[in-house]
Amino acid sequence: MSNNQRHYVPNSKLNSDISTRAYHYVNLLIGIAFAGVILYSLIYKANSHPIPALLTEATGEIPPSKGLSASFSEIVRGNLDLANAYNPFGIRIFAFFALQLLLRAFFSIVVMLKRNGAVSIILTDSIVSTLLFAYCFWPLIVYTLRQIAQLIQHL
């Protein structure tokens, strides 16, 4: 092996710095995306969203995601009853985005403060985020799995 080749040394400070830096960049990008969802909800009112419900328009079927944009718009305006009327899962799903926005900042700060334990903190973040996603999106996950099962049956 030549001297010009870099060697990967497990648990080295350089690898740790690169990993935590990548974690912070990913957190920043995810945070920006989640902030974008919330900003989109603030900009557009319930019935003025430019993104149509394509599945409903194409098939006439009403999926559990129908009305989420309108629901989110009402949530950011504090109209929870109206938000629930647009989509009964809206508050639950919006909570995921809002909590994740806070968790991105929280876990990034914890990783900066506890550099030695960054791997376990990042793992904890991954587990918490996955469980939160599964809970908040469960109705949509179940619907999607049922749709996939129906497609497979028709093959």
Side-chain angles (χ1 to χ4, degrees):
M1 200 174 273
S2 72
N3 290 337
N4 293 337
Q5 291 178 327
R6 288 192 163 175
H7 299 282
Y8 176 78
V9 180
N11 300 322
S12 75
K13 179 162 176 28
L14 176 63
N15 290 329
S16 177
D17 288 346
I18 291 170
S19 296
T20 57
R21 193 172 358 174
Y23 174 76
H24 292 302
Y25 286 137
V26 169
N27 260 358
L28 178 64
L29 292 173
I30 292 170
I32 289 169
F34 290 153
V37 169
I38 294 170
L39 182 62
Y40 176 83
S41 301
L42 282 166
I43 291 171
Y44 295 101
K45 293 191 177 186
N47 291 320
S48 66
H49 290 276
I51 301 172
L54 296 176
L55 181 65
T56 302
E57 287 181 9
T59 66
E61 185 174 338
I62 299 176
S65 60
K66 175 85 168 105
L68 277 178
S69 294
S71 180
F72 284 15
S73 290
E74 294 304 330
I75 291 167
V76 297
R77 289 169 177 75
N79 303 325
L80 300 184
D81 289 337
L82 195 51
N84 198 46
Y86 279 115
N87 187 302
F89 309 114
I91 295 171
R92 182 178 182 170
I93 294 170
F94 184 85
F96 173 80
F97 290 101
L99 288 170
Q100 279 297 310
L101 190 57
L102 296 174
L103 287 173
R104 295 308 93 228
F106 172 76
F107 279 114
S108 280
I109 290 168
V110 172
V111 165
M112 279 190 281
L113 296 175
K114 305 267 186 186
R115 295 197 91 141
N116 292 339
V119 172
S120 62
I121 295 165
I122 293 169
L123 181 61
T124 301
D125 177 13
S126 299
I127 292 168
V128 167
S129 294
T130 300
L131 292 174
L132 186 61
F133 176 84
Y135 172 75
C136 291
F137 281 85
W138 188 250
L140 277 71
I141 293 168
V142 169
Y143 173 81
T144 302
L145 293 174
R146 285 184 182 146
Q147 294 297 102
I148 291 170
Q150 285 179 356
L151 285 172
I152 291 171
Q153 286 178 347
H154 288 95
L155 293 179

